[in-house]
Amino acid sequence: MTFKVIVTYQIHDGTIMKKEMTGVEKVERTFEKISCDNIEVVRVYEHGSQVQS
């Protein structure tokens, strides 16, 4: 089973980006400490391959 995901994220210069993906098989959300900040990392698995946001 696959589903549609819309990911909204902010890049390092403050720009807000949006990406729509179809055929998503799995989504993982984790937090990683980067330069003393807790950063949310979302890994999206689409058609058998990993796309990281």
Side-chain angles (χ1 to χ4, degrees):
M1 178 170 78
T2 62
F3 50 98
K4 177 180 168 181
V5 173
I6 299 172
V7 179
T8 303
Y9 56 99
Q10 184 174 12
I11 60 175
H12 66 285
D13 68 358
T15 303
I16 303 295
M17 306 291 289
K18 185 183 277 189
K19 183 171 185 176
E20 183 175 310
M21 297 181 222
T22 57
V24 173
E25 298 169 351
K26 179 180 172 183
V27 176
E28 295 176 351
R29 292 177 56 195
T30 61
F31 287 87
E32 297 180 10
K33 193 168 220 61
I34 301 173
S35 300
C36 298
D37 293 322
N38 283 325
I39 306 297
E40 182 179 14
V41 177
V42 179
R43 291 180 176 87
V44 179
Y45 295 86
E46 183 178 31
H47 305 292
S49 61
Q50 178 181 341
V51 179
Q52 183 170 317
S53 298

